[in-house]
């Protein structure tokens, strides 16, 4: 299976929002937060403030400041305490004040889940283009699990804002303190905040991001629109391997400190009758196994899809007897270096296994 | 004259059923009539039928219990809805999405007078977001004084910090008088701002509808020369007094399936089981736990609007007795379209030209119905369609039982024969007699409930407050008609509130009991 060339999207309009959200949910690999609320916000913003221009990093002025953006906090709180709408404008002002330079574009830090969808609302409200890239190419649970950290870019000041108009600038001494200081502000802000980190000129970012994330997500949505064979369309588009098609026969799941851990077992049906695949979960789907053999593992992407519609199923939505297809596809080459695997490989999540690229384990 | 008879009426999408029970729950009369587009005449037909069947005994009718889809239909058809002014308290949070912004345009046009987002509301930990903007609230209320039929108030994190909604209600009565109808979101739904706000606005839009249902039913009853008490079925499987129904009309949504579940429990004597209600167009699967419907916490979409109020946990599939069969014998297509009402004219067994699952049942010899034989040429396709429908039903059973094959399955509803005796995934299958009117029976045998809710601080007076609350809930159930000897607290929900100073809970107590003799 070879991956198709993704066509670059130039603009995001109302009509693209559902497609983008479909792709972001799939790239969430079970985590990343529900995209449902973000769809409403983005549609509303585009209606009021207009469509969003998508740019390639190479086309941004080399010394122009790009603001990577993500929401941080507890999803359940964000469902109750919705955005003010002015958060990104404040974030931009603070970034421009601290860096003494105008922001020329924004970027999603994390394309997977709601954090891939919401930046489009901010771009629309700011009237700024959004870069067709992100720092994960999927969803990861921790702030430092991004390409800038892995590629060794120096830490820059982190800026957080809340809906009240509070803002804070953190100049962290390490990735770990960046995480813990940000969490502290978020708790004070009532559990949700908007954050920009690794704020750099476009030239510094080139080569250190996952390219094509926005286009890729929208293409996924377009691929399944109106089709009767969503699985075939998606495997062709992503160069993905269908691990098993069947029904969920067992779910073990517990929540601790805002993180979901557990495993889900899928019993094969049809041509997969008699097979059984289990997937380990820590917010995201991390390792797929069959009879003790590893079929796929993080940082390759493992998603659970509704077999009928191809819609991604988040870990909290999984229910016994759902008809699902588990699918895995290669991560960006950026994640396959030794340093990257130390941060996001199976061992970084506590598994005593070596990472084997999906193309090799599925050969 | 003893008033020992009661009438259960269930107005469903396809049929309006009525049943008369005596005090020993024996069925004295029953009927199944077509639901009419005005709903009222279908109800009148059903009631007139059973009253005629009773003859002079009809004078013994003391109560009428009504389960109805009026509220659902009003929302789906955007008809008879009240005009609502929606107030959200929580600025500067949540300004990015206005109330009703995500609603379908036609529904918003039908319901919305005006909306505003004012300062107020709380954080998850009970801190204030901002002080309640009382002046802004008064100004907004004055501006809608002539146009609004009702006010819907939703404050951020009100399920755990309800005080701003309570204060806002006081201000509404100060500005617009005590007669202005108000719905507060913490009385309707749980955390999830837009879903709770949507349910709150819909509830406020249904005040007029529920008033019409009540007076229309009372007219029909009076027209039949009866003087009776009336109660409404709600979606937890109990009955509510009219004054409570007038405050929470949205709770009638989902009462049909809840009644089916309760009726199935009554007809079989089982309290823990799976219940499947097979209608003309669709089939609902639910779960009975200790005699009551299992409830769902998931968001429910009504008329294109996401809501999160309490509902029975149901799984619906688009397969029913009237489901149309097409495709080929090798690859039959089952539904989702149904002939609905027109089964008696369009189906093959009625001399029509549309093959349906009912035709398949007749062809298989599982049902005797109709006056025309199923043409030979259709047999093979119908057989494989029935096979495919049975597979879908087995899949649904697997999902609703969570794989626990030890529970029995009770099949009710007009199309219950679609459920074979040997279906996989359950211990055994029951097809109780009169199961086709299980929903009307469920309304007639339901217990009547009363509620109390309040905010109680932990400490010395905690237990005393709970005792008082339980007594009030029981008293309200008794006032609504429950037997004082048997009434009991059936549910007590404590939601910890996030006050910074002292630990406090919001307490909702539900008491219920069988109806006392009149």
């Amino acid at each position: 299976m070879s991956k198709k060339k993704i066509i670059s999207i130039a603009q995001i309009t109302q009509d693209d929002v559902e497609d983008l959200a479909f792709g972001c949910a799939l790239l969430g690999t079970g985590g990343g937060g529900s995209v449902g609320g973000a769809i409403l916000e983005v549609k509303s913003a585009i209606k009021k403030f207009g469509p969003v221009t998508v740019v390639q990093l190479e086309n941004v002025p080399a010394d122009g400041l790009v603001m990577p953006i993500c929401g941080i906090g507890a999803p359940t709180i964000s469902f109750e305490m919705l955005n003010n709408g002015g958060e990104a404008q404040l974030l931009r002002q603070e970034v421009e004040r601290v860096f003494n330079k105008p922001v020329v574009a924004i970027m999603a830090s994390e394309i997977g889940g709601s954090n891939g969808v919401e930046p489009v609302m901010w771009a629309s409200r700011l009237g700024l283009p959004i870069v067709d890239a992100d720092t994960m190419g999927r969803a990861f649970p921790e702030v430092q699990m991004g390409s800038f950290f892995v590629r060794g870019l120096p830490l820059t000041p982190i800026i957080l804002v809340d809906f009240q108009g509070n803002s804070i600038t953190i100049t962290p001494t390490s990735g770990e303190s960046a995480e813990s200081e940000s969490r502290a502000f978020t708790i004070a802000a009532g559990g949700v905040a908007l954050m920009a980190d690794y704020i750099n000129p476009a030239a510094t970012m080139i080569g250190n991001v996952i390219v094509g994330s926005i286009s890729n997500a929208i293409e996924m949505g377009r691929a399944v629109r109106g089709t009767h064979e969503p699985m075939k369309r998606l495997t062709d588009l992503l160069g993905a391997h269908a691990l098993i098609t069947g029904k969920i026969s067992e779910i073990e799941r517990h929540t601790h400190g805002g993180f979901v851990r557990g495993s889900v077992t899928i019993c094969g049906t049809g041509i997969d009758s008699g097979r059984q695949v289990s997937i380990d979960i820590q917010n995201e789907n991390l390792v797929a196994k069959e009879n003790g053999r590893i079929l796929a593992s993080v940082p390759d992407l493992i998603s659970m899809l509704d077999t009928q519609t191809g819609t991604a199923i988040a870990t909290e939505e999984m229910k016994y007897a759902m008809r699902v297809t588990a699918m895995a596809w290669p991560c960006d080459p950026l994640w396959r270096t030794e340093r990257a695997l130390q941060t996001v490989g199976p061992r970084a999540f506590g598994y005593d296994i070596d990472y084997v690229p999906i193309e090799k384990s599925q050969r | 004259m003893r008033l020992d008879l009661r009438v259960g009426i269930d107005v469903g999408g396809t049929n309006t059923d009525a049943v008369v029970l005596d005090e020993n729950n024996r069925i004295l009369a029953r009927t199944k009539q077509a639901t009419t587009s005005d709903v009222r005449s279908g109800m009148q037909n059903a009631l007139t039928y059973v009253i005629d069947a009773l003859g002079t005994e009809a004078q013994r009718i003391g109560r009428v219990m009504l389960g109805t889809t009026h509220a659902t239909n009003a929302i789906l058809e955007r008809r008879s809805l009240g005009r609502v002014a929606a107030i959200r308290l929580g600025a500067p949070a949540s300004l990015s999405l206005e109330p009703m912004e995500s609603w379908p345009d036609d529904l918003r046009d039908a319901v919305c007078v005006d909306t505003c987002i004012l300062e107020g509301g709380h954080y998850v930990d009970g801190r204030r977001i901002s002080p309640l903007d009382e002046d802004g609230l008064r100004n907004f209320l004055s501006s809608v004084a002539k146009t609004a039929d009702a006010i819907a108030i939703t404050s951020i994190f009100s399920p755990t910090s309800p005080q701003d909604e309570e204060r806002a209600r006081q201000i509404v009565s100060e500005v617009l008088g005590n007669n202005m109808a108000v719905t507060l979101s913490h009385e309707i739904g749980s955390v999830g701002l837009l879903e709770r706000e949507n349910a709150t606005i819909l509830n406020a839009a249904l005040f007029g509808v529920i008033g019409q249902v009540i007076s229309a039913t009372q007219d029909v009853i009076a027209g039949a020369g009866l003087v009776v008490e009336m109660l409404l079925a709600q979606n937890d499987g109990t009955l509510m007094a009219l004054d409570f129904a007038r405050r929470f009309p949205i709770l009638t949504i989902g009462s049909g399936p809840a009644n089916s579940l309760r009726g199935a429990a009554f007809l079989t004597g089982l309290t823990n089981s799976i219940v499947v209600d097979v209608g003309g167009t669709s089939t609902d699967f639910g779960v009975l736990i200790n005699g009551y419907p299992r409830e769902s916490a998931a968001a429910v979409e009504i008329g294109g609007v996401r809501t999160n109020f309490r509902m029975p946990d149901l799984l619906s599939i688009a397969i029913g007795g009237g489901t149309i069969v097409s495709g080929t014998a090798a690859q039959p297509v089952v539904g989702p379209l149904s002939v609905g009402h027109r089964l008696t004219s369009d189906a093959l067994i009625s001399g029509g030209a549309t093959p349906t699952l009912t035709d398949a049942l007749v062809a298989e010899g599982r049902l005797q119905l109709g006056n025309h034989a199923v043409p030979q040429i259709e047999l093979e396709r119908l057989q494989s369609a029935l096979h495919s429908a049975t597979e879908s039903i087995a899949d649904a059973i697997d999902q609703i039982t969570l794989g626990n094959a030890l529970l029995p399955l009770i099949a009710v509803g007009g199309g219950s024969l679609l459920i074979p005796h040997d279906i996989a995934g359950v211990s055994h299958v029951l097809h109780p007699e009169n199961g086709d009117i299980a929903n009307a029976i469920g309304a007639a045998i339901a217990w009547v409930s009363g509620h109390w809710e309040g905010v109680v601080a932990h400490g010395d007076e905690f237990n005393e407050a709970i005792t008082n609350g339980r007594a009030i809930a029981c008293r309200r159930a008794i006032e609504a008609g429950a037997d004082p000897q048997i009434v009991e607290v059936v549910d007590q929900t404590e939601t910890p509130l996030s006050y910074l100073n002292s630990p406090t809970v919001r307490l909702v107590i539900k008491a219920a009991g069988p109806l006392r003799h009149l």
Side-chain angles (χ1 to χ4, degrees), chain B residues 93-297:
Chain B
S94 82
L95 291 171
S96 63
L97 277 176
E98 284 156 37
M100 294 188 250
E101 192 177 328
S102 57
W103 285 32
D105 291 344
D106 57 347
L107 185 57
R108 187 177 52 242
D109 290 347
V111 170
C112 182
V113 170
D114 199 1
T115 69
C116 68
I117 307 175
L118 300 172
E119 292 187 345
H122 292 79
Y123 286 101
V124 66
D125 57 10
R127 283 180 292 150
R128 275 203 161 280
I129 289 174
S130 24
L132 179 60
D133 178 4
E134 298 199 0
D135 291 342
L137 182 57
R138 284 172 202 278
N139 288 339
F140 176 79
L141 290 170
S142 302
S143 76
V144 297
K146 292 202 170 61
T147 45
D149 298 318
I151 311 288
I153 301 169
T154 307
S155 176
I156 291 183
F157 276 115
S158 68
T160 51
S161 297
Q163 57 267 49
D164 278 3
E165 291 186 359
E166 300 285 6
R167 175 65 188 140
R169 169 150 60 192
Q170 288 174 358
I171 294 173
V172 172
S173 59
E174 285 168 30
V175 177
L176 300 176
N178 284 326
N179 290 331
M180 177 53 82
V182 179
T183 303
L184 304 184
S185 83
H186 74 272
E187 297 180 334
I188 299 284
S190 49
V191 171
L193 183 71
L194 293 181
E195 288 84 1
R196 186 175 74 253
E197 179 177 74
N198 289 344
T200 305
I201 297 168
L202 287 177
N203 188 69
L206 289 168
F207 288 133
V209 172
I210 205 71
Q212 287 162 21
V213 170
I214 291 170
S215 61
T217 313
Q218 285 172 333
D219 284 355
V220 171
I221 294 168
L226 301 174
V227 180
V228 300
E229 274 182 19
M230 181 185 164
L231 294 143
L232 278 172
Q234 57 177 330
N235 58 21
D236 65 353
T238 67
L239 298 166
M240 49 185 169
L242 295 187
D243 58 348
F244 189 79
R246 285 184 206 275
R247 279 178 60 208
F248 298 109
I250 203 168
L251 295 181
T252 62
I253 293 177
S255 62
N259 285 338
S260 287
L261 282 149
R262 294 275 300 148
F266 168 77
L267 289 170
T268 57
L270 295 173
T271 51
N272 290 287
S273 74
I274 307 301
V275 177
V276 54
D277 186 345
V278 189
T281 309
S282 64
T283 293
D284 294 334
F285 296 82
V287 184
L288 267 176
I289 294 176
N290 299 327
Y292 281 89
R294 182 171 82 191
E295 290 182 356
S296 162

Side-chain angles (χ1 to χ4, degrees), chain B residues 426-437:
Chain B
V426 291
S427 64
H428 59 291
V429 177
L430 295 97
H431 288 90
E433 198 182 340
N434 291 312
D436 60 328
I437 54 162

Side-chain angles (χ1 to χ4, degrees), chain A residues 44 80 82 84 164 247 323, chain B residues 92 94 101 157 196 395 398:
Chain A
S44 167
E80 177 75 19
L82 306 184
N84 166 275
Q164 294 274 25
K247 75 163 198 177
R323 267 46 181 180
Chain B
S94 82
E101 192 177 328
F157 276 115
R196 186 175 74 253
D395 272 3
D398 194 26

Side-chain angles (χ1 to χ4, degrees), chain A residues 276-338:
Chain A
Q276 189 167 309
V277 170
S278 73
I279 296 174
D280 280 350
I281 302 164
Q282 292 183 29
N283 281 0
E284 282 80 33
N285 305 317
L286 294 187
V287 179
K289 285 180 288 199
E290 181 172 17
N291 295 327
R293 191 172 80 88
I294 309 294
L295 299 183
S297 78
V298 67
D300 286 338
L301 294 87
I302 304 168
S303 265
M304 199 92 80
L305 289 70
D306 180 312
T307 303
Q308 290 291 315
T309 62
T311 308
I313 301 166
T315 48
E316 65 269 21
E317 295 166 347
M318 290 176 192
K319 275 198 196 137
Y320 173 85
M322 272 183 165
R323 267 46 181 180
V324 297
T325 296
M327 194 179 265
W329 65 100
C331 64
D332 193 276
L334 191 145
W335 293 122
R336 291 182 168 180
T337 65
E338 205 173 310

